Amino acid sequence: MSGFNRLQKEVIGAGLCTDCGSCVGVCPSKAIVMDYEFEEPKLQKECPPRCNLCYEICPGKDIPIPDLERLAFGRQRDTGEEFIGVSQDLIKGYATDIGSRNAGSSGGVASALLIYALENDIIDAAIVSGMSKEKPWRFEPKIAINREQVLAAARSKYILIPTNAILGEALEKGFKRLGVVGLPCHMHAIRKMQMHGMPKKTVNSIKFCIGLMCAINYDYRGTEHLIEEVCGVPLDQVAGLEYRAGAYPGLFTVITRDGKEVAITDNERRFHTIGFQHNRCMMCYDYTAVVADITVGDDFDPAMKRGVAGWTAMIVRSDVGKNLVNDAQAAKYIHTEPIKKENFFQGGFEWKKHGGAYHITERKRHGWPTPDYHMPINYPVPLHREMFLNHPHLIG
Ligand SMILES: Cc1cc2nc3c(=O)[nH]c(=O)nc-3n(C[C@H](O)[C@H](O)[C@H](O)COP(=O)(O)OP(=O)(O)OC[C@H]3O[C@@H](n4cnc5c(N)ncnc54)[C@H](O)[C@@H]3O)c2cc1C
Ligand code: SF4
Ligand code: SF4
Ligand code: SF4
């Protein structure tokens, strides 16, 4: 059975595809493409015999976290790191350029680090996620080579984007040093490529990877529901879309072809898309992108006020990540400060460590397919419960 047939049977057909795009991005024969309608890869021509690459690096079913951590950081988690993963530093910060800070979802740090790396000859291109020209309510992987392109792709999009699908194309275009931003499942695939040493060119090209914290993600149908039914805008009238426009937490804003803006609050966005959560995401146990070089998320400090300029919470994990953050700070691209560890134990933490754990446990009980993280998935998780009970103000 070819690698893709195994992928089809054990991952895609089993409801375990995260839509990360990695299989498309590594395929040496261009045998598969992303089917944007169904948000999964599909075969477009026959595979050569014995190729197994897409199956090997796929993070849908098999995610050997302890092995990936040893590979990326040279060690496994220590006491105190059980829930957020290996870390050298816990900090918060923002992009010092106010335009970049305002362009970001949180403090604009993810984009500022990419801009620093591009402007200081560390990378030739950044792999990001930006708006589709043909369908301006959809988002797709993009190659950014300058500040303007990085900032055009800033901000969170609460939909699946197969970011890693563009890795092969970036290499074909001659970019040899890449910085990648993506969700935890994108990071899993990158580390699996490094673990297998394949594809060699891709592995050699990735200079760092920035992981976004991820509570849950949604199918495109959810966004289309928000636009058409909740905001009342026909899809063919959409000229642009922002999931979190303006100051934190931002407004879900549809820009129409005749220049109008139709906006709903962040809470309304969440309420109306809750039924469109991607199935595999409900079985996801990684909230903090535990194998990224640097993880970025919202800073959920209870003192943080809505409507003021945002901060990015950061978990600096690898030496590569530490050097990047320190150098970008020294070059005044970002400002950083210490952060309280409790700030990481809210937001999506609850969804993943209880919700994700619950769904995995329930599905296992019925003998349904589940992802294997190679670590204990305990439900209920008493320590988390105690923490929430002791810090009720942290739930946000
Ligand atoms: C689906 C999703 C769920 C999230 N859940 C949480 C959460 O529970 N808790 C939390 O603290 N933070 C969460 N985040 C992360 C948070 O929203 C910010 O992205 C993060 O704090 C970085 O902010 P920034 O201003 O530094 O980044 P920015 O400067 O705004 O840059 C963000 C980068 O992420 C890329 N990106 C945006 N959306 C996607 C996507 N869907 N897939 C791949 N790449 C993307 C952009 O292209 C850009 O390069 C989530 C993000 C997403 C996309
Ligand atoms: S990576 Fe190999 S097995 Fe997978 S789709 Fe491409 S050619 Fe087929
Ligand atoms: S590599 Fe990613 S997109 Fe491809 S099948 Fe696996 S999870 Fe799905
Ligand atoms: S919830 Fe998990 S599987 Fe889904 S997009 Fe986020 S990291 Fe990927």
Side-chain angles (χ1 to χ4, degrees), residues 7 11-12 16-23 34 41 54 57-60:
L7 209 59
V11 179
I12 304 163
L16 297 181
C17 174
T18 69
D19 196 40
C20 71
S22 311
C23 47
M34 277 323 282
C54 55
I57 59 84
C58 170

Side-chain angles (χ1 to χ4, degrees), residues 2-5 7 23 26-32 43 45-48 50-55:
S2 86
F4 188 77
N5 287 342
L7 209 59
C23 47
V26 301
C27 178
S29 314
K30 294 195 179 139
I32 37 177
L43 200 60
K45 65 180 191 193
E46 234 175 80
C47 297
R50 287 191 295 280
C51 182
N52 214 22
L53 186 54
C54 55
Y55 182 80

Side-chain angles (χ1 to χ4, degrees), residues 114-134:
L114 295 175
I115 294 169
Y116 166 75
L118 283 167
E119 293 181 352
N120 290 274
D121 202 29
I122 296 166
I123 56 173
D124 318 309
I127 303 298
V128 291
S129 301
M131 186 179 284
S132 152
K133 271 196 192 134
E134 294 74 37

Side-chain angles (χ1 to χ4, degrees), residues 18 160 183-185 214-217 280-281 284 286 352:
T18 69
L160 304 166
L183 295 165
C185 50
C214 182
I216 191 79
N217 213 346
R280 167 64 173 82
C281 295
C284 183
D286 185 359
K352 288 281 173 83

Side-chain angles (χ1 to χ4, degrees), residues 104-106 108-111 129 153 155-157 159 213 215 287 297-298 312:
S105 269
S106 306
V109 168
S111 298
S129 301
R155 290 191 185 236
S156 302
K157 294 94 184 176
I159 30 105
M213 292 187 204
Y287 168 49
D298 284 315
T312 304

Side-chain angles (χ1 to χ4, degrees), residues 147-169:
R147 173 183 289 262
E148 291 68 37
Q149 291 176 354
V150 169
L151 293 181
R155 290 191 185 236
S156 302
K157 294 94 184 176
Y158 295 101
I159 30 105
L160 304 166
I161 304 173
T163 311
N164 290 354
I166 209 166
L167 285 170
E169 188 184 319

Side-chain angles (χ1 to χ4, degrees), residues 337-364:
E337 290 178 18
I339 188 175
K340 285 185 256 147
K341 191 173 179 182
E342 303 96 272
N343 294 8
F344 292 99
F345 292 96
Q346 49 183 318
F349 186 89
E350 168 71 346
W351 289 41
K352 288 281 173 83
K353 300 301 174 189
H354 281 141
Y358 170 73
H359 280 286
I360 293 173
T361 310
E362 269 302 281
R363 285 175 200 234
K364 273 202 173 130

